[in-house]
Amino acid sequence: QNKIYLLVGDFTFETSTGTDDILKSTINYSNNAVAEIATQLFALIRHAFLRSRFGLGTYLSTRIRHGVFEGELRSGLEKLNLVFSLENKKYVANPYWRNTYNLRPQEREKLFIYLEQFTKGVDKLISEFKDTVIQIHEDEHDEKQGGFNYEIPTDTICNKMLELEDGCDDPKVFCRKVIDYLWEITEQRLEHVRSKVENELTTDFSKLLQTLERETNDFSTYPQLQQDLHTRVNKAREDITAKLNKVEKWFYRQKTKFEDFHLKSHIDLGIDAIHKYLPEVGFEFNGQSDNDGTLIRAEYSASMFDMLTIFLNNMFQYSRRENQRKFEIDTWVDDGNIQHIH
């Protein structure tokens, strides 16, 4: 009690600097070393829990945020021809309405304005939720805000670390206890995100659909078009409700087992995720990606999936525009090692 501790940083004796100067540059004083050590140790374990290769951040990035979230919510609306596709940062009108109904130019323009406004509303909801809720806020130095908030007051950290350390002589057991504590926090954050999906996101989508439904009344002189729009809005309401229920289930803790994997399984997962996001792209896929059954080590699973998703997304978005695009992925394997993917 009432002791002053010295916290010594890294330094080297391979210098001509005097001893006094070395001490001044490498030593600082603390009147609460226990608190500093506790917070630093906790911060180290927390960072690994959130940011390591198998951490929560990697899971959220590769399994949810990277095209999967918007693909899940947007795909049904695209099949119903209610949202436009985005090409070169511009919304492109769906050809269904132009080809199906012979509207006067001003009526067609009005319909496209309504659908583009609806599309912008859908994309804004998805983008804001992805960027502000399905994000990690690690500590007070992290500028990014998110539903997964791990900023904890210093006093709380100190008390918890002392509680976990009490009677624990094994460093591995202690680290395991800290991780269990982080999982307790994660369970609370998962509940928070589920609540956001169930209450806020569901309500916001409902408002968008109500607005679009109300705007269909402007086409009373085209009863067939009005009925078509009304039917599609009702189907969209059912689709979004089902999709949001599915998304909500993503935010439960699941036991994940990392196993060695075949490249083809990750390619198939990536294609499925991208095709949900770009369902209008017809394609035929061929390849020899698993011709010898080579397994890739589990530790590369997340980064490989992330890389393949970007690779496949570029194939879908920037390949020659044809009714049926032909994709082929082959690998060159040498002595059990994948040397090249093309």
Side-chain angles (χ1 to χ4, degrees):
Q1 187 176 0
N2 299 325
K3 291 182 180 179
I4 297 178
Y5 294 84
L6 297 179
L7 300 181
V8 183
D10 295 331
F11 67 94
T12 175
F13 290 104
E14 297 176 1
T15 175
S16 58
T17 308
T19 304
D20 290 344
D21 291 332
I22 292 177
L23 292 177
K24 287 178 182 178
S25 65
T26 58
I27 294 179
N28 61 83
Y29 295 89
S30 171
N31 58 6
N32 195 348
V34 173
E36 291 205 25
I37 293 171
T39 54
Q40 289 177 18
L41 184 56
F42 178 78
L44 185 66
I45 299 173
R46 174 177 57 189
H47 185 77
F49 180 82
L50 298 175
R51 307 295 186 186
S52 69
R53 180 171 292 173
F54 296 123
L56 179 62
T58 300
Y59 177 84
L60 293 177
S61 175
T62 59
R63 302 298 184 181
I64 297 179
R65 282 200 309 266
H66 201 109
V68 178
F69 181 64
E70 54 260 56
E72 190 67 44
L73 296 179
R74 227 179 177 273
S75 58
L77 300 175
E78 288 177 338
K79 290 177 182 177
L80 290 167
N81 299 303
L82 292 179
V83 293
F84 292 167
S85 58
L86 191 63
E87 296 181 8
N88 298 322
K89 298 182 179 180
K90 290 184 179 180
Y91 285 109
V92 179
N94 194 301
Y96 169 82
W97 304 103
R98 189 187 301 274
N99 296 338
T100 306
Y101 298 100
N102 185 23
L103 303 177
R104 294 192 300 270
Q106 60 268 31
E107 296 299 322
R108 184 187 303 116
E109 182 180 0
K110 183 192 295 184
L111 173 62
F112 286 173
I113 287 174
Y114 288 159
L115 292 177
E116 183 172 341
Q117 288 174 342
F118 177 72
T119 302
K120 287 180 178 178
V122 168
D123 287 345
K124 183 180 179 182
L125 283 182
I126 292 173
S127 178
E128 288 182 349
F129 196 86
K130 185 174 65 172
D131 294 340
T132 63
V133 179
I134 314 176
Q135 293 287 348
I136 291 172
H137 175 73
E138 186 170 342
D139 55 31
E140 64 275 14
H141 305 296
D142 189 353
E143 295 182 357
K144 188 180 291 294
Q145 299 301 312
F148 292 89
N149 186 350
Y150 290 82
E151 180 178 340
I152 302 169
T154 299
D155 288 346
T156 302
I157 292 174
C158 291
N159 292 334
K160 191 65 181 180
M161 295 293 274
L162 289 172
E163 174 191 328
L164 298 177
E165 186 273 339
D166 186 33
C168 182
D169 298 326
D170 188 334
K172 290 184 179 180
V173 173
F174 174 74
C175 288
R176 182 72 259 172
K177 287 184 177 181
V178 176
I179 291 173
D180 288 342
Y181 173 56
L182 288 167
W183 272 119
E184 291 176 14
I185 298 171
T186 303
E187 293 283 10
Q188 298 170 11
R189 303 303 180 254
L190 287 168
E191 184 178 357
H192 168 73
V193 173
R194 292 197 301 270
S195 176
K196 287 274 190 181
V197 174
E198 182 181 4
N199 299 316
E200 297 180 17
L201 198 56
T202 300
T203 299
D204 290 340
F205 266 107
S206 178
K207 289 178 180 177
L208 282 178
L209 288 166
Q210 286 174 3
T211 299
L212 184 60
E213 187 174 40
R214 186 168 59 251
E215 290 168 344
T216 63
N217 296 327
D218 291 351
F219 301 99
S220 56
T221 55
Y222 296 90
Q224 188 176 354
L225 169 63
Q226 186 180 29
Q227 181 59 42
D228 191 4
L229 283 167
H230 183 73
T231 300
R232 290 171 185 272
V233 168
N234 282 335
K235 288 183 178 179
R237 191 173 283 115
E238 295 174 2
D239 180 78
I240 285 295
T241 299
K243 293 293 180 58
L244 288 174
N245 286 335
K246 181 179 178 180
V247 167
E248 187 181 338
K249 290 180 173 63
W250 291 352
F251 298 100
Y252 282 92
R253 181 181 175 186
Q254 300 176 357
K255 291 184 178 179
T256 304
K257 184 179 181 181
F258 294 98
E259 297 178 335
D260 293 348
F261 62 94
H262 291 286
L263 180 62
K264 185 178 184 302
S265 67
H266 273 37
I267 291 176
D268 291 343
L269 285 171
I271 288 177
D272 183 59
I274 298 300
H275 191 51
K276 282 183 178 179
Y277 183 54
L278 299 168
E280 72 279 3
V281 178
F283 71 96
E284 177 184 329
F285 175 75
N286 295 295
Q288 305 266 337
S289 55
D290 259 356
N291 47 9
D292 72 339
T294 300
L295 285 170
I296 302 176
R297 281 162 47 185
E299 63 188 271
Y300 300 115
S301 176
S303 54
M304 179 65 79
F305 180 79
D306 199 21
M307 182 192 72
L308 286 171
T309 303
I310 296 171
F311 176 60
L312 293 165
N313 182 65
N314 288 334
M315 288 172 59
F316 272 74
Q317 291 211 51
Y318 303 114
S319 55
R320 182 182 301 171
R321 299 185 182 282
E322 299 175 342
N323 290 334
Q324 193 76 0
R325 305 183 194 185
K326 294 184 178 180
F327 300 140
E328 184 172 338
I329 298 178
D330 291 311
T331 57
W332 170 36
V333 180
D334 183 17
D335 193 26
N337 298 308
I338 295 177
Q339 302 289 343
H340 185 60
I341 301 175
H342 65 280

